[in-house]
Amino acid sequence: MLNGLMQEQPLLISSLIEHAARLHPQGEIVSRTSEGPIHRCTYADVRRRARQLANALTALGVGAGERVATLAWNGYRHMELYYGVSGTGAVLHTINPRLFPEQIEYIVNHAEDRLLFFDPGFLPLVEKLAARAPGISRHVVLTDRAHMPASSLPGLLCYEELLAAQSADFAWPQFDENSASSLCYTSGTTGNPKGVLYSHRSSVLHSWAACAVDGLAVSAQETVLLVVPMFHVNAWGMPYAGAMSGARLVMPGPALDGRSVYELLRDERVTLALGVPTVWLMLQQYVESAGLRPAEELCLRRVVIGGSAAPRAMSERFANDFGAFVVHAWGMTEMSPLGSVCNLLPRHAGLSPEQRLALQEKQGRAVYGVEMKIVDDDGVELPHDGLAAGHLLVRGPWITRAYYREEGAGNVDGDGFFDTGDVATIDADGYMQITDRAKDVIKSGGEWISSIALENAAIAHPAVAEAAVIGAAHDKWQERPLLIIVRKAGHELGRDEMLDFLRDRVATWWLPDDVVFVDELPHTATGKLHKLRLREQFRDYRLPGA
Ligand code: ADP
């Protein structure tokens, strides 16, 4: 081997904010604060304050590799922590506040967090946690002195005071790019949450994929609304990709209801927005009930939807009412999260709107850096014909190889592939489509029925607000689909009408055996349908004729 003669520069997260502050010093970060008002700052400000934070962390004795936790919504202070903590070589542990308190307690102790930075609104949670998480030596409220809440917590620190006491001179240390940078736990719908430990190298490489035109095309041309929370897989890497590209970032804080999101889209002239289907559902319902005309009022060009399948009806409404193109994407905490993106190819230019919507139902093609394959139960690779459905396995430099503190076990096979737990097809062009999570697939007489496909077909009915499909016990077929519906307010819809609607849209043997109507469906901490809880709820349910 002959070594190349290029510079060996470690890929470090601090280099992203340095780049942004040099090349896009006026690039704006707009935040809706927990206190209410809109706050504006620039990449230059984020760098300055991240450096002050780095000095503060050093003064508090936080060493390289130590975990610093956050309980915070999307906002500029959280962004400063992304850079200030990781930049010093410490590890940022973003906690999902929607987890059960026992799960939060578990992960704080499992991660051995030393410091906890939190939004004032989380004080009651933090006060309860404090006694059960003795490893946390200091608690810092993300606010100024005027908004410091009264609390019995000993030695509570005020973030703005902490920063004000420090100089903005700080030379980011240079270290191995494989060092850990941040930590995120999966929601653990079954069993305890598992820690995914990202590295500086994986985070920087992932940002390039997010910025690539055939990735999410994040660039300085865009104003990006991060509806996806910064405690959910690093907001899909957007705080890093934003700095890499100089994109203008808009952070919604805790207000994720339809009206607040709509106002931000309109007032901040957002061009690209990212989030899970649940929030887009709230937005679309608000627009419908308020009789708004988003296509005329907004500049929204693209909406990235991931985390759960983007139903066709949702993409259609974004196209027709908002004039926005839905970019369907797939990934997971274990993948940083970006795995595939549904962008069109040149030969799709002539597709009819119907054909394009059908293509957009797929989760898209693997981005460079992610290898995908589908295998059967015996591990034999299946063809990429768009029909064969199998376990989806992935490999790449921003995909986990072991969970935190379970390193010995590893979580990849002999060839380095990670089993995503999803079941998917891949077509001849490489477009992947998730048919189900392996544990949610409905096994009817040895055949598999896709719960996602049925849900998407049901949600297209104008009276349906939300739909879930689970397998219910059946003597003859083992399992048959049960459709559970939340009706839109003020709409009528009966079982037979729903089934008639589906009859033209799905294979006859996929037709649910029954339909039930409920007021609401349970969701997980990351906004997905909580299928496990639904299955428990309907455990004793008898299908007609079962
Ligand atoms: P959690 O902690 O809830 O598991 P993740 O975001 O890591 O959160 O969940 C990843 C899973 O979400 C994937 O394995 C897949 O099942 C599902 N998922 C993500 N994106 C999509 C999508 N576009 N379509 C269907 N399912 C998706």
Side-chain angles (χ1 to χ4, degrees):
M1 278 298 189
L2 177 63
N3 274 349
L5 289 172
M6 309 314 281
Q7 298 181 7
E8 275 188 37
Q9 188 78 33
L11 303 174
L12 298 180
I13 284 173
S14 53
S15 70
L16 295 172
I17 195 64
E18 286 298 320
H19 173 80
R22 272 196 307 268
L23 277 296
H24 305 275
Q26 300 308 318
E28 209 181 12
I29 319 293
V30 182
S31 316
R32 196 196 286 279
T33 57
S34 352
E35 294 93 11
I38 300 283
H39 175 278
R40 295 174 194 281
C41 64
T42 64
Y43 281 112
D45 295 327
V46 172
R47 172 176 67 175
R48 175 173 46 80
R49 286 164 52 90
R51 288 178 175 184
Q52 286 175 291
L53 175 63
N55 277 322
L57 292 171
T58 311
L60 287 167
V62 177
E66 289 192 317
R67 273 75 60 206
V68 174
T70 62
L71 267 170
W73 299 106
N74 292 7
Y76 66 103
R77 292 185 180 116
H78 208 171
M79 177 116 170
E80 291 157 11
L81 283 151
Y82 265 55
Y83 288 101
V85 173
S86 304
T88 61
V91 177
L92 185 78
H93 173 204
T94 49
I95 302 173
N96 183 343
R98 297 187 182 125
L99 292 174
F100 295 120
E102 307 81 63
Q103 285 178 320
I104 295 182
E105 178 190 328
Y106 169 84
I107 64 176
V108 164
N109 290 322
H110 187 268
E112 297 177 327
D113 294 327
R114 284 223 27 216
L115 296 185
L116 173 61
F117 289 73
F118 64 98
D119 280 345
F122 294 120
L123 181 68
L125 176 64
V126 173
E127 282 177 337
K128 283 201 199 91
L129 186 66
R132 298 167 173 274
I136 298 180
S137 60
R138 300 309 289 265
H139 296 86
V140 186
V141 191
L142 291 165
T143 192
D144 52 19
R145 178 48 61 187
H147 292 90
M148 273 299 278
S151 168
S152 55
L153 275 179
L156 198 61
L157 295 172
C158 165
Y159 181 77
E160 290 300 333
E161 282 180 357
L162 200 65
L163 257 55
Q166 299 295 335
S167 126
D169 284 337
F170 184 86
W172 301 113
Q174 300 295 300
F175 44 76
D176 181 357
E177 63 183 19
N178 290 302
S179 308
S181 57
S182 65
L183 176 64
C184 197
Y185 282 76
T186 63
S187 60
T189 26
T190 50
N192 277 326
K194 293 185 180 315
V196 180
L197 190 59
Y198 309 105
S199 69
H200 284 258
R201 171 186 159 81
S202 73
S203 306
V204 172
L205 291 177
H206 180 267
S207 305
W208 262 308
C211 293
V213 176
D214 285 319
L216 300 180
V218 176
S219 79
Q221 308 297 325
E222 306 279 358
T223 291
V224 188
L225 177 67
L226 275 60
V227 182
V228 54
M230 289 168 81
F231 51 74
H232 189 192
V233 215
N234 298 324
W236 300 348
M238 286 304 112
Y240 305 131
M244 180 178 266
S245 64
R248 181 167 174 263
L249 299 183
V250 182
M251 314 274 208
L256 300 179
D257 60 287
R259 184 194 183 117
S260 305
V261 169
Y262 188 83
E263 287 173 359
L264 270 187
L265 289 170
R266 184 193 60 205
D267 299 346
E268 298 304 330
R269 310 189 67 73
V270 169
T271 58
L272 168 65
L274 304 95
V276 299
T278 340
V279 286
W280 301 131
L281 196 65
M282 292 193 289
L283 174 72
Q284 293 190 339
Q285 282 173 358
Y286 168 70
V287 164
E288 197 177 323
S289 63
L292 299 171
R293 295 172 174 276
E296 289 164 26
E297 280 194 324
L298 308 183
C299 319
L300 191 63
R301 287 193 297 257
R302 291 185 299 141
V303 181
V304 177
I305 304 187
S308 299
R312 181 192 179 109
M314 186 171 277
S315 302
E316 191 170 12
R317 206 163 297 159
F318 270 125
N320 296 344
D321 300 352
F322 290 68
F325 181 77
V326 163
V327 182
H328 197 182
W330 166 86
M332 58 199 310
T333 305
E334 287 89 335
M335 301 176 69
S336 301
L338 201 55
S340 68
V341 184
C342 193
N343 285 311
L344 306 185
L345 294 169
R347 65 186 181 73
H348 294 133
L351 290 186
S352 69
E354 285 303 305
Q355 291 168 318
R356 199 169 51 229
L357 284 168
L359 187 65
Q360 283 176 278
E361 281 191 78
K362 301 197 174 199
Q363 277 75 3
R365 291 156 36 101
V367 294
Y368 169 77
V370 175
E371 271 178 89
M372 280 182 187
K373 63 177 180 183
I374 44 174
V375 301
D376 66 14
D377 286 339
D378 299 321
V380 178
E381 228 179 305
L382 295 170
H384 293 188
D385 58 7
L387 298 170
H391 304 281
L392 179 60
L393 271 50
V394 291
R395 183 166 74 173
W398 56 82
I399 299 171
T400 171
R401 67 181 151 86
Y403 291 109
Y404 182 48
R405 298 182 58 193
E406 295 179 20
E407 288 85 340
N411 56 20
V412 294
D413 68 15
D415 296 326
F417 277 90
F418 171 76
D419 185 345
T420 62
D422 286 334
V423 177
T425 62
I426 301 180
D427 70 18
D429 288 329
Y431 284 85
M432 182 274 288
Q433 183 161 23
I434 303 280
T435 58
D436 244 316
R437 277 201 165 185
K439 55 186 187 295
D440 295 338
V441 98
I442 297 160
K443 297 196 172 104
S444 170
E447 298 284 347
W448 287 4
I449 296 177
S450 159
S451 65
I452 295 183
L454 283 174
E455 286 156 7
N456 285 346
I459 199 120
H461 191 289
V464 173
E466 213 179 350
V469 176
I470 54 169
H474 193 286
D475 292 341
K476 177 164 174 208
W477 300 110
Q478 180 189 355
E479 269 185 352
R480 287 292 303 161
L482 168 65
L483 173 59
I484 307 162
I485 298 277
V486 179
R487 278 180 285 236
K488 279 190 195 158
H491 283 74
E492 299 281 319
L493 176 67
R495 170 188 190 273
D496 294 343
E497 187 189 340
M498 186 70 237
L499 289 176
D500 284 344
F501 178 83
L502 289 178
R503 228 176 288 279
D504 303 336
R505 290 170 167 81
V506 302
T508 320
W509 64 276
W510 281 34
L511 210 61
D513 283 32
D514 206 1
V515 185
V516 292
F517 297 89
V518 294
D519 291 338
E520 61 176 341
L521 289 166
H523 291 97
T524 68
T526 47
K528 296 181 216 305
L529 285 170
H530 204 321
K531 295 271 176 91
L532 191 72
R533 189 159 327 145
L534 268 180
R535 280 193 289 267
E536 279 163 12
Q537 220 169 305
F538 286 90
R539 196 179 16 222
D540 300 326
Y541 190 81
R542 292 298 290 174
L543 288 169

